[in-house]
Amino acid sequence: DPEMSRGLGDVYKRQVLLKAISLVGLLIYFAVLLIAVTKEKKNHTVEDYFFAGRTLPFWALSITFIASWWGAGSAISTADLAYSDGLGAFWYYGVPVLLSTFLMILGAKGIRRVGYLTQGEMMSARYSPLAAKLLSVMILVFMTLNAASQMVGIGSFFGTYLGMNYEVAVLVGTGIVLIYSMFGGFRGVVLTDIIQFVLLAISALIVFIVAMVNSGGFDNIALAAEQAGKTGYVSFSAGAQKYMVYVITFGGAWVIQANVWQRISAARNDKDARKMTVMSFFAYIPLYLMVVFTGMAGITLFDKLPQGGVVTAIVTQYMNPVLGALVFVGISAAIMSTMDSLINTGAMTLSIDLVGKKESEEKKLKFSRFATLLVTAVALLISLRIRSILEISWMASDIITTGVFVPLVMGFFWKRGNSKGAVASMAVGIVYCLYNLIIGFGVQLPSFWEPQSALQVIFGVAMSLIVYVFVSLITPSETEKAEEFIKKSKGENTPRE
């Protein structure tokens, strides 16, 4: 059929044009980031490299906060889940992020007031150097695994969108992030995150509008869901039970996530720290809703979940090449902005909390850049072996929730909690995570909880809490150290600037 052949030819030409313009857009985007980073104020100290000298305004930190939690899961996975589950998919990423950010609003001033730059320094001051080292190891693992999940996202996205081999796509996306992260440090991350956030917001809005217009609107989506037999598709509460395990695990892990605490510590004062978290909270609501509605619109546009996801299919099938290329760069920016944040915080933990040698600032700065390279390399290897965002994210969150949450949070409130209790609690959390990981690899070990279930997380946190309280009560108290730390968090002592 000549007419069909012409139609297929037009589609092929359109796809080729879209790929070409997208590649040009990616190169321009990379060039802009490099120019922005190299023109920025140079880093002379480790505090400059990881905290921008505590000189950034709250709105800039808020944007990088938003960008750090708006990555591959937000841009791709949530839309695909919404295609299948409807409005309830908001509980997958949206609710954990809002819960964590709300708790950050309550705790931001206390975190900034204690005056310590990293969670490792906080744990050392509150408990002991051993407790700080254990926490830092878990943070480093968490950051590296999460960075790997973003590399999986960029590999899948580039691979589908540009027709790249997965391995090549991962290397290209990760290489871009590595170069500007090593040049600019935290100040560079914040500056590029602002650029990336603008692209992200524009892209998310464009895809949302195109999806809703072509779907015929919310009423048509509801009708299509009803015809497909999807009960509860337009009900917000429908996803509560299904995704509660992610609310608990992700919410518990993210509220203590070191890259967010890094942004709070980088604030100029405790008021800016609070304003940063409040601004972020109200920005997340429309951003996550747009992604969910975009995924839901897909039910009227596609008979089944498209290969590469709903967002990619909408861009390639319903947009002109120029607009599609803009969205491609915007979604790429969303993934990269999360990846750079995780890599920077992982490098910070390695440089300051785990190595922390008393050398010249020049040598420490060199090691900080090497740490950035090292964290990226390890995460890259993981992303090439495990190609599941959800699997890697779960492993990371499980480690930080059961191993770190209790001693870190309780350290701000319970004076009787001591270093022996904190170390015992973290040790139990680590063993419990490893036990579950072995079960996940197929080894038959006794357990009364389902793998990757809410019960598994609740039991792990409860066990960590019991051990923390019990060991703290049967060992000598460290009241003076605890009181000094808690007073600082309440603003009763002058914080160390």
Side-chain angles (χ1 to χ4, degrees), residues 221-358:
I221 292 171
L223 179 61
E226 185 179 344
Q227 291 172 346
K230 291 181 177 289
T231 56
Y233 195 78
V234 295
S235 169
F236 175 76
S237 61
Q241 183 175 356
K242 180 176 181 179
Y243 294 110
M244 187 53 66
V245 62
Y246 299 108
V247 173
I248 296 171
T249 307
F250 289 173
W254 294 344
V255 76
I256 57 171
Q257 195 163 321
N259 58 330
V260 175
W261 286 46
Q262 179 187 10
R263 281 144 181 75
I264 292 172
S265 294
R268 291 180 294 196
N269 51 57
D270 59 355
K271 291 181 180 178
D272 271 12
R274 171 70 63 82
K275 287 191 287 186
M276 178 198 79
T277 52
V278 171
M279 178 179 169
S280 301
F281 180 87
F282 287 105
Y284 281 130
I285 297 172
L287 286 172
Y288 277 96
L289 282 175
M290 279 196 296
V291 171
V292 170
F293 283 127
T294 298
M296 292 172 66
I299 198 174
T300 70
L301 306 177
F302 312 107
D303 294 331
K304 61 180 181 179
L305 182 65
Q307 184 178 4
V310 173
V311 173
T312 305
I314 290 173
V315 172
T316 56
Q317 297 180 33
Y318 288 90
M319 292 185 185
N320 68 61
V322 175
L323 200 59
L326 174 64
V327 172
F328 164 76
V329 174
I331 295 173
S332 301
I335 301 171
M336 290 180 190
S337 63
T338 301
M339 193 196 304
D340 64 29
S341 169
L342 296 164
I343 290 171
N344 184 261
T345 307
M348 175 195 74
T349 302
L350 180 58
S351 300
I352 297 177
D353 295 328
L354 289 174
V355 178
K357 293 180 179 179
K358 294 182 179 179

Side-chain angles (χ1 to χ4, degrees), residues 72-392:
S74 307
I76 300 171
S77 299
T78 303
D80 292 345
L81 288 172
Y83 174 87
S84 302
D85 298 341
L87 192 56
F90 190 83
W91 287 80
Y92 170 61
Y93 257 90
V95 172
V97 162
L98 290 175
L99 173 62
S100 301
T101 309
F102 178 74
L103 293 174
M104 284 288 93
I105 292 172
L106 301 180
K109 284 190 172 183
I111 293 168
R112 180 61 182 85
R113 281 170 182 161
V114 295
Y116 299 103
L117 293 173
T118 68
Q119 289 178 337
E121 288 184 349
M122 292 178 197
M123 288 289 277
S124 183
R126 176 62 179 84
Y127 297 117
S128 67
L130 176 59
K133 294 295 183 186
L134 277 175
L135 172 131
S136 299
V137 168
M138 285 186 277
I139 289 174
L140 180 60
V141 171
F142 175 81
M143 291 298 156
T144 305
L145 285 172
N146 266 324
S149 75
Q150 300 307 309
M151 292 173 189
V152 172
I154 204 75
S156 301
F157 183 62
F158 278 14
T160 303
Y161 206 101
L162 299 175
M164 282 183 176
N165 173 276
Y166 172 81
E167 287 79 6
V168 173
V170 172
L171 288 170
V172 170
T174 304
I176 292 172
V177 174
L178 175 62
I179 290 170
Y180 75 71
S181 295
M182 286 186 70
F183 269 115
F186 184 67
R187 186 180 278 106
V189 166
V190 173
L191 181 63
T192 53
D193 277 355
I194 292 172
I195 297 169
Q196 290 163 332
F197 177 75
V198 172
L199 288 170
L200 150 71
I202 293 171
S203 300
L205 183 60
I206 289 172
V207 176
F208 167 70
I209 292 171
V210 170
M212 295 305 289
V213 168
N214 284 279
S215 70
F218 192 78
D219 290 340
N220 205 35
I221 292 171
L223 179 61
E226 185 179 344
Q227 291 172 346
K230 291 181 177 289
T231 56
Y233 195 78
V234 295
S235 169
F236 175 76
S237 61
Q241 183 175 356
K242 180 176 181 179
Y243 294 110
M244 187 53 66
V245 62
Y246 299 108
V247 173
I248 296 171
T249 307
F250 289 173
W254 294 344
V255 76
I256 57 171
Q257 195 163 321
N259 58 330
V260 175
W261 286 46
Q262 179 187 10
R263 281 144 181 75
I264 292 172
S265 294
R268 291 180 294 196
N269 51 57
D270 59 355
K271 291 181 180 178
D272 271 12
R274 171 70 63 82
K275 287 191 287 186
M276 178 198 79
T277 52
V278 171
M279 178 179 169
S280 301
F281 180 87
F282 287 105
Y284 281 130
I285 297 172
L287 286 172
Y288 277 96
L289 282 175
M290 279 196 296
V291 171
V292 170
F293 283 127
T294 298
M296 292 172 66
I299 198 174
T300 70
L301 306 177
F302 312 107
D303 294 331
K304 61 180 181 179
L305 182 65
Q307 184 178 4
V310 173
V311 173
T312 305
I314 290 173
V315 172
T316 56
Q317 297 180 33
Y318 288 90
M319 292 185 185
N320 68 61
V322 175
L323 200 59
L326 174 64
V327 172
F328 164 76
V329 174
I331 295 173
S332 301
I335 301 171
M336 290 180 190
S337 63
T338 301
M339 193 196 304
D340 64 29
S341 169
L342 296 164
I343 290 171
N344 184 261
T345 307
M348 175 195 74
T349 302
L350 180 58
S351 300
I352 297 177
D353 295 328
L354 289 174
V355 178
K357 293 180 179 179
K358 294 182 179 179
E359 296 177 337
S360 68
E361 286 295 334
E362 184 180 354
K363 287 185 178 180
K364 287 192 285 187
L365 198 54
K366 284 181 180 179
F367 183 81
S368 298
R369 292 196 172 96
F370 170 75
T372 301
L373 176 62
L374 184 61
V375 170
T376 304
V378 174
L380 183 62
L381 291 174
I382 294 169
S383 70
L384 294 174
R385 295 295 300 271
I386 305 174
R387 300 186 184 185
S388 169
I389 296 173
L390 187 58
E391 184 179 348
I392 296 176

